[in-house]
Amino acid sequence: MRLTIYYGGTFDPVHKGHLAIAAAAQSAFNTEVILLPSADPPHRPPASASAEQRAAMVELAIAGQPGLRCDPRELHRSGKSYSVLSLRELREEHGPDHPMAWLIGIDSFLGLPSWHHWQDLFGLCHFIVVRRPGLDIDAAGSELSAACEGRWQTDPEALSRCPSGRIYRLPMPLRPESATAVRAGLQAGQNMNAVLTPTVAAYIHRHGLYTSGV
């Protein structure tokens, strides 16, 4: 069966770095990538834009790009946006044997032990880990390192041969963009159009987003 990839995040706002990561995963695994905006992220400060606004920006950013789509399920669930809840739902929808992966930045992956029921995640999905400048898996703590033991794969096809539990480093050039830097630039009145799609830049301007606080 073909692997299904989910790319979770706050996307506050979605930028070209996010799209490049999604495209790299799409190319590496020859499958669609589904962006899944979180509504109320428990492991970070509240998002600057509302969940509805962030999902709308994701829809605008991926419009007309084959193989990318948005899943807004977390907007319709009350309470914190725990990834394990979405993955349990998705596993039930896809069935126990369908290969499914969570696309994640190395910074978030290193923080996995702080996630709700984090060890259950390996039984629900694979992980596709994306490098970021200044971070490497060597920085993982002992608990995460132990949980990852024997799971790393160098062949992307390995993730399609079982439903969950494997980890793959996505080979792609390091991307300098970050949502934090985009928000800070907009707050400072800088033109951030180089890292935003025109549709997302227009949406931010139209709704007056990120003009106070980051």
Side-chain angles (χ1 to χ4, degrees):
M1 284 183 284
R2 179 173 291 185
L3 180 73
T4 301
I5 300 175
Y6 289 91
Y7 185 9
T10 51
F11 302 113
D12 189 28
V14 62
H15 53 68
K16 291 181 180 179
H18 292 131
L19 300 180
I21 288 168
Q26 185 183 5
S27 176
F29 292 91
N30 190 30
T31 190
E32 74 171 355
V33 175
I34 303 159
L35 285 74
L36 203 157
S38 61
D40 185 12
H43 304 299
R44 56 190 303 163
S48 301
S50 71
E52 291 75 14
Q53 289 171 327
R54 290 183 284 108
M57 287 187 281
V58 168
E59 293 279 13
L60 289 169
I62 65 175
Q65 298 200 39
L68 299 182
R69 64 182 174 94
C70 180
D71 182 338
R73 70 179 58 233
E74 292 199 356
L75 278 65
H76 309 305
R77 182 195 306 138
S78 60
K80 295 291 185 181
S81 292
Y82 293 117
S83 297
V84 69
L85 299 180
S86 291
L87 284 166
R88 284 171 180 162
E89 287 180 2
L90 292 165
R91 175 53 65 197
E92 186 172 343
E93 292 170 14
H94 286 293
D97 300 323
H98 187 93
M100 192 168 74
W102 194 258
L103 181 59
I104 186 172
I106 183 66
D107 50 340
S108 295
F109 187 74
L110 291 173
L112 210 61
S114 68
W115 290 29
H116 190 59
H117 293 295
W118 72 279
Q119 290 181 324
D120 292 352
L121 300 176
F122 293 101
L124 295 168
C125 68
H126 303 298
F127 284 99
I128 300 170
V129 182
V130 183
R131 296 188 307 155
R132 292 199 65 178
L135 289 174
D136 192 82
I137 196 62
D138 292 340
S142 58
E143 193 174 20
L144 180 60
S145 294
C148 294
E149 188 74 27
R151 299 185 186 275
W152 291 100
Q153 304 293 317
T154 57
D155 178 9
E157 289 298 319
L159 274 64
S160 296
R161 292 195 284 265
C162 67
S164 62
R166 296 176 174 177
I167 312 170
Y168 177 79
R169 284 190 186 96
L170 183 67
M172 66 174 295
L174 293 174
R175 301 287 307 193
E177 304 94 339
S178 77
T180 300
V182 173
R183 294 194 302 272
L186 292 168
Q187 163 68 10
Q190 299 173 11
N191 186 323
M192 304 302 294
N193 291 355
V195 295
L196 299 170
T197 67
T199 52
V200 170
Y203 184 95
I204 289 171
H205 178 74
R206 185 165 65 250
H207 292 271
L209 299 178
Y210 310 113
T211 57
S212 60
V214 298

